[in-house]
Amino acid sequence: MMISHGLKITKEDFIFGPWTVTTAKNHIMKSKDLERLTVELNLPSLPEMLFGENILRIQHNDGFGIEFNAIDALKRINNSEDTVQVACARQWQESRVGSEHPQEVVRPYDWTFTTDYRGTLIGEEMQMKVTETTERINLEKLRTREQIMFFDEVLLFEDELHDHGVSMISVKIRVMPTSFFTLLRFFLRVDGVLIRINETRLYHEAGQKYMLREFCTRESGIAELKSIPASLFTDPNEIAQHLPFKLRQCEKLELPERKHKAVNEHV
């Protein structure tokens, strides 16, 4: 653990066979870095709490892997007007007449910071190959009681939408004796308007030559959730089961073959 400017900066590494799992947590980005990033991403504003140096990385000894970071998540935000988003923004704005920020909602970008980020493939010489698949992650197997050798959760960004909801994305990982599982979740709640969840699940079993990655979008207007207790609206785990799927995609991340494999086998 390192200490910087009086704030705790944590970095952990965990070895799982040929993989190194790294999590890093740092303080909120400084204003000068936020200004630079705003220009770079062509976004009028950024989330209130942006952890630009927070990261979860899963890297193979051969250099390839996948990581999850806030900056790449922000790059997936729509920085031009979206008719669906603007319609929601107007509805939200009408419900906020008289508030101290009555004109700050409708912007020429996705003001909810919705992102369909699924992780960033890494590797200088080789990367995993992404292909569509019908194979699904065995969730029943994940529910079995198994020793958790390593667990961590990393927050990438969060914004309270001027106290009228929340937009946040975080990633967590758990490593078991024979596999690891990662859940990246974007959660959006615009009070009185809608709830949306984008999730990316990543699963790998030791010895397999691939990872499975599942991405899904669930969404519902608040009006369609009248029979659901409002207390569940703030809990992504609870409300998710009440939101209909809007999109579901399954992918296989194939591990690259090592170069000069035949030579290495005789070394």
Side-chain angles (χ1 to χ4, degrees), residues 79-102:
N79 62 7
S80 61
E81 286 191 359
D82 181 302
T83 54
V84 176
Q85 297 298 333
V86 171
C88 287
R90 287 172 179 163
Q91 182 180 348
W92 185 32
Q93 189 176 30
E94 289 171 2
S95 71
R96 299 175 65 221
V97 173
S99 74
E100 60 178 321
H101 303 287

Side-chain angles (χ1 to χ4, degrees), residues 32 108 111 125 165 173 179 192 195 216 219 224 237 241 253:
K32 64 176 182 179
W111 51 273
E125 296 184 1
I173 185 170
S179 63
I195 296 177
C216 68
E219 180 181 321
E224 285 72 53
N237 292 317
Q241 58 187 309
L253 308 186

Side-chain angles (χ1 to χ4, degrees), residues 26-143:
N26 210 318
H27 46 68
I28 296 174
M29 287 186 72
K30 298 178 180 178
S31 57
K32 64 176 182 179
D33 295 323
L34 290 174
E35 293 172 4
R36 172 188 54 78
L37 191 59
T38 299
V39 174
E40 179 183 325
L41 298 178
N42 192 25
L43 288 169
S45 68
L46 296 173
E48 296 166 323
M49 293 180 285
L50 177 57
F51 299 89
E53 295 182 37
N54 284 12
I55 194 169
L56 166 61
R57 180 184 296 118
I58 305 169
Q59 190 166 20
H60 193 274
N61 289 341
D62 288 339
F64 61 85
I66 188 169
E67 72 175 35
F68 302 88
N69 67 78
I71 308 305
D72 286 340
L74 290 172
K75 290 178 180 178
R76 299 294 302 174
I77 293 174
N78 187 350
N79 62 7
S80 61
E81 286 191 359
D82 181 302
T83 54
V84 176
Q85 297 298 333
V86 171
C88 287
R90 287 172 179 163
Q91 182 180 348
W92 185 32
Q93 189 176 30
E94 289 171 2
S95 71
R96 299 175 65 221
V97 173
S99 74
E100 60 178 321
H101 303 287
Q103 303 301 322
E104 291 190 7
V105 181
V106 182
R107 302 286 186 88
Y109 74 111
D110 185 348
W111 51 273
T112 69
F113 303 113
T114 294
T115 175
D116 62 355
Y117 181 55
R118 309 179 190 193
T120 305
L121 297 182
I122 58 174
E124 295 183 3
E125 296 184 1
M126 54 181 132
Q127 292 187 353
M128 292 184 286
K129 179 183 177 182
V130 181
T131 59
E132 291 187 7
T133 183
T134 57
E135 187 175 351
R136 297 288 182 88
I137 296 173
N138 188 340
L139 296 181
E140 287 302 319
K141 184 175 182 180
L142 284 174
R143 293 188 183 103

Side-chain angles (χ1 to χ4, degrees), residues 144-161:
T144 59
R145 295 180 65 87
E146 193 173 5
Q147 179 188 5
I148 297 178
M149 304 167 65
F150 177 79
F151 174 85
D152 207 352
E153 183 169 9
V154 180
L155 177 62
L156 301 182
F157 71 69
E158 182 173 359
D159 189 283
E160 295 184 347
L161 306 177

